[in-house]
Amino acid sequence: MANKAFRVLMAGLLLASACAPVEENLIQGRWQGVAVLEEGEPLNIDPTVISMTFGENNSYAYSSTLNYRESGSFYIDSKYLYTTDTLNQASTEKAVEIVSLTADSLTLKMNEGGRERLLKMARHRD
């Protein structure tokens, strides 16, 4: 009986940790792309040209392939990162899921044309 109770307790702890919100302060700093996967397969792009910077005052800057850039404000709610671009006109709030966030890695999940896309990033070391 004690073994069953232990397994139930461990399952509950694992479930609780999987649903826990991310540590927002870990996102601050500069990040550089290391991989972009679509439906689990690597995209044929150089991920290192993708970069994001998150400031202490909830500002962000993003640059990507084809010289695309945006910047503006961000906030985190539970496991979602919300950004509002103020650089490009007629921009709306965007949301992506933070799959994982540690001191040195960030993985974001988004939907691109109905396909799941993962952006894996590493903290940029100056």
Side-chain angles (χ1 to χ4, degrees):
M1 184 69 163
N3 192 19
K4 183 177 180 183
F6 177 74
R7 282 187 270 149
V8 169
L9 176 64
M10 291 306 292
L13 289 174
L14 284 173
L15 182 60
S17 67
C19 298
V22 298
E23 289 187 58
E24 293 182 35
N25 63 322
L26 289 178
I27 205 164
Q28 293 175 0
R30 292 178 50 201
W31 299 89
Q32 182 173 22
V34 294
V36 181
L37 306 172
E38 188 169 275
E39 299 293 328
E41 297 294 322
L43 285 182
N44 190 21
I45 62 169
D46 178 5
T48 62
V49 300
I50 301 170
S51 68
M52 292 189 87
T53 302
F54 296 95
E56 292 180 12
N57 58 352
N58 288 4
S59 65
Y60 82 100
Y62 173 79
S63 63
S64 182
T65 59
L66 304 175
N67 204 26
Y68 178 79
R69 298 188 186 290
E70 63 180 60
S71 65
S73 61
F74 80 93
Y75 68 95
I76 295 174
D77 185 11
S78 183
K79 63 179 181 174
Y80 293 97
L81 169 65
Y82 295 88
T83 58
T84 302
D85 179 17
T86 56
L87 185 63
N88 300 299
Q89 292 181 350
S91 193
T92 60
E93 183 178 77
K94 298 176 190 172
V96 296
E97 181 180 342
I98 300 172
V99 176
S100 66
L101 174 59
T102 67
D104 60 1
S105 68
L106 170 63
T107 301
L108 301 173
K109 179 167 68 171
M110 57 207 82
N111 185 311
E112 183 66 34
R115 295 179 304 273
E116 180 182 280
R117 186 173 286 180
L118 290 177
L119 171 58
K120 297 183 177 192
M121 305 185 89
R123 185 172 300 279
H124 188 274
R125 302 290 179 199
D126 292 320

